Amino acid sequence: MKIAILSDIHEGLNRKNTGMDIMSHLIKWIKVNSPEVFIISGDITAGPRKSLDLLNHLQEEFPMMKLLFVHGNHDIYHEDSKSAYDMLLEFPGNLGNGPVELNDSWVVIGDGGWYDYTFGIQGYTDEQFSVGTFNDFTWPDKTSAHWQSSDQCETKRYLEKLEGWLKENEGKNIIMVTHVVPFSRYIQVKDEPGWDFFNAMMGSKHFGELADKYQVKKYIFGHIHTRYHEHYNGIEIICNPLGYYPHEWNSANAEEEIFSTIKLVEI
């Protein structure tokens, strides 16, 4: 079974900045490569309605392909992020609806996740991270994502839901998916406070602890716009973002970038 993996498509911004139809190139790649499963680990675009429309369009184009999705922080940019989260659950392949069995031995378990400052650098308080402002820059989630409770409480909610599903499927070959980062290994520390401060908003070490506890086989995530594919703690780690044009792309052409970026794995 061929599984395609991509995150951080940021369709709206990349379409605007390139003047190219990002989705048409994505569709072309699928036609050429014919994956049975496509996993998008967050940030397809900004806002739940646009994200839902793009997911539905993609699934309608390829009704035989199993399209699986977890939301990213940009997908739930809304005046009420809980209602945005619920809206995205209308997409049948949203992993927030529950585990998806790929075959008799493999199951995909995931949800978008959030962050709890466990990757935050020393010298700053949770209150400062909660405000999310360093010098004159404020982390965009603080003005565009609006949850009903604190970041830590929202992260705990995801962790409890995911652990329930992991426990139910213990012993199977599990592919775990979040948008946020599960291990500190993948946090980029530059010893520059203006950068490192915002690592607090990258994810939570507790997602990685769940992956270790339930011995997941593969872990797919996004959020950081850096590509990784390696084995860590006995887990195949895949972070495969498209990222922002132009400074995070390797080519100037959207088709070339998409065709060279999407990763295929087989089970």
Side-chain angles (χ1 to χ4, degrees):
M1 180 180 293
K2 294 195 297 184
I3 303 173
I5 298 165
L6 188 65
S7 74
D8 299 275
I9 300 169
H10 294 287
E11 183 273 341
L13 194 59
N14 281 327
R15 173 169 41 82
K16 177 182 177 182
N17 290 339
T18 63
M20 303 173 192
D21 187 343
I22 303 300
M23 295 306 290
S24 70
H25 297 306
L26 181 56
I27 287 168
K28 183 177 179 180
W29 183 94
I30 295 171
K31 287 178 178 177
V32 169
N33 292 277
S34 302
E36 287 99 325
V37 180
F38 201 122
I39 298 175
I40 297 176
S41 50
D43 282 357
I44 189 168
T45 193
R49 174 50 59 190
K50 291 180 180 178
S51 295
L52 184 60
D53 288 346
L54 290 174
L55 288 165
N56 285 329
H57 173 61
L58 201 55
Q59 187 67 87
E60 288 164 5
E61 284 282 334
F62 303 98
M64 302 305 293
M65 181 183 73
K66 193 181 293 290
L67 179 60
L68 303 179
F69 168 81
V70 298
H71 76 80
N73 51 319
H74 287 248
D75 298 301
I76 50 86
Y77 279 1
H78 191 271
E79 61 187 13
D80 180 354
S81 290
K82 176 59 168 62
S83 70
Y85 176 89
D86 291 341
M87 184 187 301
L88 287 166
L89 290 180
E90 295 174 18
F91 180 68
N94 188 329
L95 290 169
N97 289 310
V100 173
E101 292 186 352
L102 299 183
N103 54 32
D104 291 340
S105 60
W106 284 90
V107 60
V108 186
I109 295 173
D111 207 346
W114 205 244
Y115 42 80
D116 57 4
Y117 318 147
T118 49
F119 296 142
I121 58 172
Q122 293 184 343
Y124 299 90
T125 65
D126 284 358
E127 183 178 352
Q128 287 173 302
F129 290 136
S130 177
V131 173
T133 297
F134 190 94
N135 291 337
D136 59 350
F137 181 79
T138 297
W139 186 248
D141 295 357
K142 302 303 178 181
T143 55
S144 298
H146 302 279
W147 292 109
Q148 297 169 354
S149 60
S150 68
D151 292 328
Q152 294 96 325
C153 287
E154 295 300 333
T155 303
K156 184 179 179 183
R157 175 177 61 82
Y158 284 105
L159 289 164
E160 290 174 348
K161 181 191 285 192
L162 286 168
E163 181 156 26
W165 291 335
L166 288 164
K167 192 174 295 184
E168 290 170 4
N169 290 274
E170 198 166 4
K172 296 180 182 177
N173 294 314
I174 297 172
I175 301 173
M176 188 170 171
V177 185
T178 57
H179 178 64
V180 297
V181 181
F183 295 106
S184 61
R185 176 182 178 85
Y186 303 104
I187 298 298
Q188 298 179 45
V189 177
K190 298 185 176 181
D191 293 323
E192 299 173 8
W195 171 278
D196 294 342
F197 176 85
F198 297 102
N199 281 335
M201 292 77 174
M202 290 298 104
S204 168
K205 68 178 184 180
H206 300 302
F207 293 109
E209 290 170 353
L210 284 181
D212 286 335
K213 180 178 179 179
Y214 292 95
Q215 298 181 313
V216 308
K217 294 294 189 286
K218 303 178 192 292
Y219 198 121
I220 297 168
F221 65 98
H223 198 36
I224 52 167
H225 291 186
T226 305
R227 298 165 192 170
Y228 294 97
H229 189 187
E230 65 176 21
H231 282 82
Y232 176 65
N233 283 4
I235 303 170
E236 184 179 5
I237 301 289
I238 303 171
C239 177
N240 198 46
L242 182 62
Y244 294 131
Y245 173 88
H247 58 287
E248 294 173 341
W249 285 21
N250 295 318
S251 60
N253 180 278
E255 181 175 325
E256 288 180 10
E257 191 68 16
I258 287 169
F259 270 67
S260 65
T261 298
I262 300 177
K263 187 167 291 292
L264 270 175
V265 298
E266 294 199 24
I267 58 169

